Amino acid sequence: EPRSPCCCLAWALLIGTMNSLVFLLNLLLMFVIFTIVLLPTIVVVYFGFQCHSQVLHSSARYCKSILDDNSSSALIILGFVIMSPLLVVAMAIYCSLARRLQLLVCCQPYSLALYKGGWAAPCCARGCSPQLKAWV
């Protein structure tokens, strides 16, 4: 049976809050994984841009003794070349963890706020089946 308007609003806020927390958890997990996996690219491109005379031209000792403009350009190009495979690796790791933790299944539909019956508990609390797909 349908809920009262006040109860429906309260449930909609609860479900919206829970879905927002699941979204933020997914975003945090994705940020951490991409930062760790793309760290080599970030470091190589940073040093390439820092030591190039046309960009930042740092006065650091390693820029004067080790890296000239040609080697800085090579570092920049290398960083952008290795970024593509590392992006694929980072996305594969994120998708594997999201599937294993069943994070995408924890989003609740707003129809739970409209009708009585059923509790909007996370999937971990109500025991989802391992065959359940997030896109079904």
Side-chain angles (χ1 to χ4, degrees), residues 58-106:
S58 175
S59 61
R61 187 173 56 100
Y62 57 85
C63 287
K64 292 179 180 179
S65 62
I66 299 174
L67 297 174
D68 58 352
D69 280 350
N70 291 333
S71 57
S72 295
S73 297
L75 281 178
I76 294 168
I77 292 169
L78 175 69
F80 284 113
V81 166
I82 64 173
M83 187 182 342
S84 296
L86 289 180
L87 279 172
V88 172
V89 168
M91 195 54 156
I93 292 171
Y94 166 72
C95 290
S96 172
L97 276 175
R99 185 174 181 178
R100 183 173 306 214
L101 297 174
Q102 295 182 350
L103 293 177
L104 301 175
V105 180
C106 291

Side-chain angles (χ1 to χ4, degrees), residues 11-84:
W11 274 92
L13 288 175
L14 176 72
I15 292 171
T17 303
M18 190 169 19
N19 286 345
S20 297
L21 289 175
V22 169
F23 173 74
L24 289 175
L25 181 65
N26 274 310
L27 200 62
L28 177 68
L29 181 67
M30 186 182 295
F31 177 75
V32 168
I33 290 172
F34 273 72
T35 302
I36 290 171
V37 172
L38 292 176
L39 192 61
T41 298
I42 294 168
V43 169
V44 167
V45 170
Y46 171 76
F47 281 120
F49 278 125
Q50 185 182 16
C51 294
H52 200 280
S53 67
Q54 299 294 322
V55 184
L56 291 178
H57 193 58
S58 175
S59 61
R61 187 173 56 100
Y62 57 85
C63 287
K64 292 179 180 179
S65 62
I66 299 174
L67 297 174
D68 58 352
D69 280 350
N70 291 333
S71 57
S72 295
S73 297
L75 281 178
I76 294 168
I77 292 169
L78 175 69
F80 284 113
V81 166
I82 64 173
M83 187 182 342
S84 296

